[in-house]
Amino acid sequence: MADALNIDKTTTALLSMDFQNEILANFQDPQRAALITQASSALAAARKAGLAIAHVLVRFQPGHPEVSPRNMRFSDAKKANRLVTGTPGADNHPELGPQGTEPLVTKVRVGAFSTTNLEVLMRARGITTLVLQGIITSGVVLSTVRWAADMDYRLIVLSDCCADPDAEVHRVLMEKVFPKQATVLSAAQFAQAVE
């Protein structure tokens, strides 16, 4: 599949999403270590190829004023005082953070485009293809695939650079849901395609 995949390096961006310490804590080694290794290798391949890269994080102000009591997804984070701006748990894992001028986009909802300026950043660069890696598969990855597909981006999802606490949900999304709107590749296939 990667052999036939034509990636225009001038119009492609890699989005690295929610690789935050508190979110990575949902996964145990060796899965967490493998995920960090794969995502780091995809970032390295994208940087070597000269692709645009953006990092997306979910962060809240102290007290979580952005979280409604009706928000089922983030109510637990509010109760546990998690993902607060300026705390180590809300930071990117050190191996997966921005380098140089790679932008860091902060959101207060699930999808990478919701509550952010990501679309403006992508449009300013002339980006038409997005390569997605992130956690959690059924959270930020799914929401971003749906939103970006509706905005007519060409999408690539890196299967081994995403994870979900429910392995079956991850499998179904990668094998049955995402292929309807995106090309699903491994980190190695992506690296080969952008060499």
Side-chain angles (χ1 to χ4, degrees), residues 1 17 19 27 31 35 131-143 145-146 155-164 166-187 189:
M1 180 184 295
M17 306 177 294
F19 285 109
F27 304 94
Q31 183 185 19
L35 179 61
V131 180
L132 307 179
Q133 65 174 23
I135 52 175
I136 291 175
T137 312
S138 62
V140 68
V141 181
L142 174 60
S143 292
V145 164
R146 293 298 200 203
L155 297 169
I156 298 167
V157 177
L158 303 182
S159 60
D160 54 354
C161 299
C162 300
D164 196 281
D166 185 327
E168 179 63 8
V169 168
H170 175 82
R171 184 193 67 76
V172 168
L173 287 170
M174 291 297 171
E175 294 178 9
K176 297 185 179 292
V177 178
F178 292 162
K180 294 178 180 179
Q181 294 180 297
T183 301
V184 177
L185 299 176
S186 68
Q189 290 173 315

Side-chain angles (χ1 to χ4, degrees), residues 43 47 53-55 57 92-94 96-104:
L43 280 168
R47 287 176 180 132
I53 297 172
H55 301 265
L57 301 181
N92 253 327
H93 185 278
L96 300 171
Q99 292 183 6
T101 60
E102 295 169 358
L104 179 64

Side-chain angles (χ1 to χ4, degrees), residues 79-97:
K79 287 177 193 166
N81 200 34
R82 294 179 66 223
L83 300 170
V84 176
T85 299
T87 64
D91 288 343
N92 253 327
H93 185 278
E95 292 179 43
L96 300 171

Side-chain angles (χ1 to χ4, degrees), residues 9-184:
K9 296 175 187 178
T10 64
T11 60
T12 300
L14 173 78
L15 301 185
S16 189
M17 306 177 294
D18 293 1
F19 285 109
Q20 294 160 262
N21 295 317
E22 287 181 343
I23 299 175
L24 279 164
N26 291 306
F27 304 94
Q28 301 298 314
D29 283 331
Q31 183 185 19
R32 179 175 50 221
L35 179 61
I36 292 166
T37 298
Q38 291 304 113
S40 185
S41 73
L43 280 168
R47 287 176 180 132
K48 184 176 178 185
L51 269 58
I53 297 172
H55 301 265
V56 180
L57 301 181
V58 57
R59 290 179 168 166
F60 302 102
Q61 295 177 56
H64 294 73
E66 309 90 345
V67 179
S68 163
R70 296 179 305 278
N71 188 312
M72 293 173 64
R73 174 68 99 178
F74 291 124
S75 289
D76 288 341
K78 181 175 184 171
K79 287 177 193 166
N81 200 34
R82 294 179 66 223
L83 300 170
V84 176
T85 299
T87 64
D91 288 343
N92 253 327
H93 185 278
E95 292 179 43
L96 300 171
Q99 292 183 6
T101 60
E102 295 169 358
L104 179 64
V105 176
T106 300
K107 61 191 173 79
V108 294
R109 290 296 179 264
V110 178
F113 287 96
S114 179
T115 68
T116 73
N117 65 344
L118 184 59
E119 171 63 12
V120 172
L121 293 172
M122 296 299 101
R123 198 176 322 122
R125 295 282 305 260
I127 299 301
T128 58
T129 300
L130 298 175
V131 180
L132 307 179
Q133 65 174 23
I135 52 175
I136 291 175
T137 312
S138 62
V140 68
V141 181
L142 174 60
S143 292
T144 304
V145 164
R146 293 298 200 203
W147 189 301
D150 280 349
M151 292 193 298
D152 297 324
Y153 282 99
R154 178 180 175 220
L155 297 169
I156 298 167
V157 177
L158 303 182
S159 60
D160 54 354
C161 299
C162 300
D164 196 281
D166 185 327
E168 179 63 8
V169 168
H170 175 82
R171 184 193 67 76
V172 168
L173 287 170
M174 291 297 171
E175 294 178 9
K176 297 185 179 292
V177 178
F178 292 162
K180 294 178 180 179
Q181 294 180 297
T183 301
V184 177

